[in-house]
Amino acid sequence: MTPTTETTVGIGGAAESTDMVLNIGPQHPSTHGVLRLRLVLDGERIVRAEPVIGYMHRGAEKLFEARDYRQIIVLANRHDWLSAFSNELGVVLAVERMLGMEVPERAVWTRTLLAELNRVLNHLMFLGSYPLELGGITPVFYAFREREVLQNVMEEVSGGRMHYMFNRVGGLKEDLPAGWTARAREAVAAVRSRMDVFDDLVLGNEIFRGRTRDVGVLTPQAVHAYGVSGPIARASGVDFDLRRDEPYLAYGDLQDVLKVVTRGEGDCLARFEILLEQTHNALDLADACLDRLAELPPGPINQRLPKVLKAPEGHTYAWTENPLGINGYYLVSKGEKTPYRLKLRSASYNNIQVLTELLPGTLVADMVAILGSMFFVVGDIDK
């Protein structure tokens, strides 16, 4: 048998497999924030991904230790600048638990209402900006139109557009303005009447569906391993929502209105659909709160506090279902007017860490679609 000779011609630089390291970011704060992704590529496919965080770190947890219990609220509402009211809420709930304080019923229902309006504001931003990242510029204009309608009522009640500073230990800063509930009801109805824009314009777009279906599939196992929560976890079939499973505020009385929606696909499309359905449900919850407030008799909106507020010695943990997922607040007190330690567990931190498992094996072209569907705020990662 004649021996066979193999000859390789024109291999050039491809003789050896060489990985390329690509830095995505750090980006300007007007995008997702200053986040950097360090990708190792094999051709067009991602082999390894490492989120590099810390560019916006402001040391909020350390600053908590040098502020009294009234002052920490103004720090706590800034890490997730799209969910300021919900951020304040977790801090005051932790302090109230330490004090063993009961909040007036009127404050409980008003807090629930404002938390759900804040949830809608958060979700509208992502419902508009995610299609923008995939090349669809129109939805963001509709999203900002609806946000302005709700921002007006939030600004009227609190005086702030982003950082409301309306929560207080023991309740809220002040009662609702005269006629505000009627204007809030009109705003909710106006936004609900136009939400079909996102169903038709975004979900009905075949390009959007082609870019997001079966892309960036996150498994339930990865969700549990990395502590992912919120709409991203529920899009992977993890059926958990603190408002239903460990009710706080008035959510225990809203179980017939509250709907916890899940999807089994775990892809980018499922995450967007969950966000959209959660927005619809938050509007329904806001209406239910307005109905309840109309039935309540006049009463106080907060508790009278001493000039110097001191929490008793001990520790407690409070957690809330923030728009982006679970926020946890571990408060340690030595009996002083400032916290000895206040550890913040933010939703975005865990949600972004799972990229190390989610991105490998995907194409670079799909990286932006996956990153945008994780719904994070960089300040919420870095704190």
Side-chain angles (χ1 to χ4, degrees):
M1 183 175 179
T2 308
T4 304
T5 304
E6 291 186 2
T7 306
T8 306
V9 180
I11 58 172
E16 300 177 5
S17 175
T18 56
D19 290 337
M20 179 173 69
V21 178
L22 182 66
N23 279 294
I24 307 295
Q27 301 291 353
H28 190 274
S30 64
T31 58
H32 269 300
V34 187
L35 173 72
R36 173 182 161 213
L37 287 177
R38 185 178 181 275
L39 307 179
V40 178
L41 308 178
D42 182 6
E44 287 292 311
R45 202 163 291 278
I46 298 171
V47 179
R48 289 194 303 279
E50 178 192 359
V52 182
I53 64 174
Y55 291 95
M56 294 189 71
H57 181 60
R58 290 159 291 176
E61 290 179 347
K62 196 65 183 171
L63 290 172
F64 288 153
E65 300 171 16
R67 304 290 190 276
D68 67 32
Y69 288 106
R70 292 180 175 88
Q71 294 169 327
I72 59 175
I73 300 172
V74 77
L75 284 172
N77 72 11
R78 280 165 162 71
H79 55 91
D80 176 0
W81 44 79
L82 297 178
S83 312
F85 187 86
S86 301
N87 299 338
E88 299 171 11
L89 198 53
V91 172
V92 296
L93 288 175
V95 179
E96 288 162 4
R97 185 172 295 179
M98 286 285 285
L99 294 167
M101 180 182 289
E102 288 289 332
V103 175
E105 187 180 13
R106 188 170 180 79
V108 171
W109 282 96
T110 306
R111 280 178 172 180
T112 311
L113 165 63
L114 296 175
E116 290 306 311
L117 291 178
N118 194 200
R119 192 179 309 275
V120 177
L121 285 169
N122 175 290
H123 291 354
L124 281 171
M125 177 62 80
F126 290 106
L127 291 173
S129 67
Y130 184 41
L132 181 65
E133 290 163 9
L134 299 181
I137 193 172
T138 309
V140 74
F141 295 112
Y142 288 104
F144 268 86
R145 178 185 66 181
E146 309 313 329
R147 275 176 56 85
E148 281 303 308
V149 173
L150 293 177
Q151 283 282 28
N152 287 340
V153 294
M154 293 292 282
E155 185 176 5
E156 182 186 357
V157 75
S158 67
R161 284 185 59 81
M162 288 188 69
H163 305 301
Y164 305 110
M165 266 303 292
F166 197 56
N167 276 289
R168 294 292 187 272
V169 176
L172 295 167
K173 177 187 173 186
E174 57 198 10
D175 208 343
L176 302 172
W180 182 87
T181 52
R183 291 187 287 277
R185 197 181 291 276
E186 290 172 5
V188 169
V191 172
R192 182 188 286 108
S193 69
R194 296 191 290 257
M195 283 300 293
D196 60 343
V197 165
F198 298 98
D199 291 301
D200 301 335
L201 190 65
V202 182
L203 288 179
N205 186 294
E206 61 183 36
I207 298 174
F208 179 83
R209 298 184 77 87
R211 288 291 307 274
T212 55
R213 188 192 288 114
D214 299 327
V215 174
V217 176
L218 182 62
T219 64
Q221 292 78 16
V223 167
H224 292 303
Y226 284 85
V228 175
S229 59
I232 300 172
R234 290 190 282 275
S236 296
V238 177
D239 188 9
F240 183 71
D241 190 313
L242 279 175
R243 296 173 297 170
R244 179 199 63 193
D245 301 322
E246 282 198 26
Y248 59 99
L249 294 182
Y251 290 114
D253 297 323
L254 292 169
Q255 296 302 304
D256 56 335
V257 183
L258 175 64
K259 294 178 183 176
V260 181
V261 186
T262 60
R263 290 282 189 279
E265 296 86 354
D267 57 9
C268 295
L269 181 60
R271 290 191 277 274
F272 187 87
E273 288 175 340
I274 290 287
L275 207 69
L276 183 56
E277 291 199 39
Q278 212 168 259
T279 307
H280 284 290
N281 188 233
L283 292 169
D284 294 339
L285 288 166
D287 266 341
C289 291
L290 285 166
D291 291 340
R292 180 66 177 139
L293 281 170
E295 298 168 0
L296 289 177
I301 200 78
N302 50 36
Q303 296 276 23
R304 291 181 65 87
L305 299 176
K307 278 190 175 181
V308 178
L309 180 64
K310 294 184 178 181
E313 189 169 348
H315 60 92
T316 191
Y317 184 76
W319 54 348
T320 58
E321 186 71 39
N322 265 40
L324 297 180
I326 293 173
N327 270 27
Y329 304 83
Y330 179 57
L331 173 63
V332 181
S333 171
K334 294 291 187 181
E336 302 296 329
K337 66 178 183 179
T338 61
Y340 177 75
R341 183 82 170 91
L342 179 54
K343 168 64 180 170
L344 170 62
R345 186 260 192 224
S346 60
S348 297
Y349 181 83
N350 293 72
N351 291 354
I352 207 66
Q353 294 305 312
V354 79
L355 288 173
T356 58
E357 186 155 329
L358 186 57
L359 287 178
T362 62
L363 296 171
V364 176
D366 291 328
M367 186 269 300
V368 172
I370 296 169
L371 186 64
S373 74
M374 298 310 286
F375 309 131
F376 62 90
V377 170
V378 177
D380 201 38
I381 302 171
D382 290 344
K383 303 190 285 291

